[in-house]
Amino acid sequence: MGHNFKFSTPKCVDERIFFSKISKVLNACEHSKSQMISIYLTKEDRFLYCNKIFEKTIGYSPKRLIDGGWDFWYSLVAPKELSSVKNEVQNFFSMPLVQDVLLLKYHIINSYGEKICIKHEILMYELKKHTLALNYFFDISEKEKIEHCLKLNGGHHGSSFFKNQCMTISSREGEVLKLIADGFSSKEIADKLFISNHTAISHRKHLIQKFQVKNTAQLIKEASKVLEL
């Protein structure tokens, strides 16, 4: 295609057609000067593309992620946060297109032994029979340092929940949370959001776990401190 993209080799005619359709997307990703971006094919369980900023930020070539997949990326995650990050990503991909956005915040260790604070955003798309997971990785280490200094000097007056949590909630979880606060049952939430009752119950359980509470009443109480419900 005339570009030096870091992607895996197309394996069939359909995939070559698919590549031609996303060439503009890849070109835009390649021109990013500071943001790490990768494209993961969920059905094929492999990374299709990874931009060159990875090498600048983490000290490894983009090919390492393409060849090593999620196992390679997980190997970079700080040990204390690995289990939580891994579970969040796996749960997200186990419900394709039911939950279309996932937001995470955690730390990785780069090849130089430096700890980097990462904001990780995953967005799901359907394109030419392929389900894409577009991954944006933001290095927010400087932001974390500034907020840490402010915290040592008293911090702000808001809730400390999200500062003390590795994870944030997804857009779908936010929808479920608002409906829970409005008094809807899991079955009613499932009907309103066009998801299965099992998925609605799972979202409720995940929210209770994330807010570290015991029941729905406590969930609403804690969530109202940091979210407009």
Side-chain angles (χ1 to χ4, degrees), residues 8 32 54 60 62 64 87 131 134 150 166 168 188 218-219:
S8 55
S32 174
F54 275 83
Y60 295 101
R64 290 291 298 274
N87 286 338
T131 303
L134 189 59
L150 290 172
C166 171
T168 57
E188 291 171 329
Q218 290 179 2
L219 170 64

Side-chain angles (χ1 to χ4, degrees), residues 19-103:
F19 265 93
S20 69
K21 293 293 183 181
I22 64 168
S23 61
K24 289 184 179 179
V25 177
L26 299 181
N27 188 54
C29 293
E30 281 297 290
H31 283 83
S32 174
K33 295 181 179 180
S34 59
Q35 187 171 311
M36 295 182 286
I37 306 170
S38 70
I39 296 176
Y40 172 69
L41 296 177
T42 61
K43 295 176 183 176
E44 293 82 352
D45 186 26
R46 66 189 179 88
F47 280 92
L48 180 73
Y49 163 86
C50 180
N51 73 349
K52 57 190 176 184
I53 303 301
F54 275 83
E55 187 161 9
K56 176 182 177 183
T57 305
I58 66 174
Y60 295 101
S61 72
K63 193 173 184 298
R64 290 291 298 274
L65 181 60
I66 290 174
D67 292 343
W70 283 109
D71 285 341
F72 168 71
W73 184 255
Y74 292 145
S75 73
L76 305 179
V77 178
K80 290 184 179 179
E81 299 171 67
L82 176 58
S83 178
S84 183
V85 171
K86 196 171 183 178
N87 286 338
E88 287 287 336
V89 173
Q90 290 178 342
N91 287 337
F92 179 68
F93 288 133
S94 70
M95 298 183 291
L97 301 182
V98 172
Q99 183 179 339
D100 57 1
V101 180
L102 179 66
L103 298 175

Side-chain angles (χ1 to χ4, degrees), residues 158-162 211 221-228:
S159 169
S160 62
F161 171 75
F162 282 110
F211 280 84
K221 181 180 178 181
E222 289 302 311
S224 66
K225 295 178 182 178
V226 292
L227 299 170
E228 185 178 343

Side-chain angles (χ1 to χ4, degrees), residues 44-197:
E44 293 82 352
D45 186 26
R46 66 189 179 88
F47 280 92
L48 180 73
Y49 163 86
C50 180
N51 73 349
K52 57 190 176 184
I53 303 301
F54 275 83
E55 187 161 9
K56 176 182 177 183
T57 305
I58 66 174
Y60 295 101
S61 72
K63 193 173 184 298
R64 290 291 298 274
L65 181 60
I66 290 174
D67 292 343
W70 283 109
D71 285 341
F72 168 71
W73 184 255
Y74 292 145
S75 73
L76 305 179
V77 178
K80 290 184 179 179
E81 299 171 67
L82 176 58
S83 178
S84 183
V85 171
K86 196 171 183 178
N87 286 338
E88 287 287 336
V89 173
Q90 290 178 342
N91 287 337
F92 179 68
F93 288 133
S94 70
M95 298 183 291
L97 301 182
V98 172
Q99 183 179 339
D100 57 1
V101 180
L102 179 66
L103 298 175
L104 304 171
K105 178 185 174 183
Y106 53 91
H107 298 85
I108 63 170
I109 310 299
N110 66 14
S111 66
Y112 313 111
E114 300 167 335
K115 194 173 186 179
I116 299 174
C117 186
I118 293 289
K119 177 184 176 183
H120 183 181
E121 182 176 349
I122 309 177
L123 295 90
M124 300 289 282
Y125 296 94
E126 283 282 353
L127 181 62
K128 290 294 177 182
K129 299 181 180 179
H130 291 276
T131 303
L132 302 179
L134 189 59
N135 292 267
Y136 294 103
F137 302 91
F138 305 86
D139 180 353
I140 59 170
S141 300
E142 292 302 320
K143 179 175 180 289
E144 184 183 48
K145 289 177 183 177
I146 293 169
E147 291 180 351
H148 179 67
C149 291
L150 290 172
K151 183 178 180 181
L152 291 176
N153 287 281
H156 61 74
H157 298 293
S159 169
S160 62
F161 171 75
F162 282 110
K163 291 188 293 180
N164 295 330
Q165 293 296 310
C166 171
M167 301 299 147
T168 57
I169 64 173
S170 69
S171 60
R172 175 63 84 188
E173 287 173 330
E175 292 177 321
V176 172
L177 187 54
K178 288 181 185 297
L179 291 172
I180 290 173
D182 289 336
F184 290 101
S185 67
S186 294
K187 186 179 185 306
E188 291 171 329
I189 291 172
D191 291 339
K192 283 183 172 293
L193 298 180
F194 303 102
I195 59 179
S196 70
N197 189 47

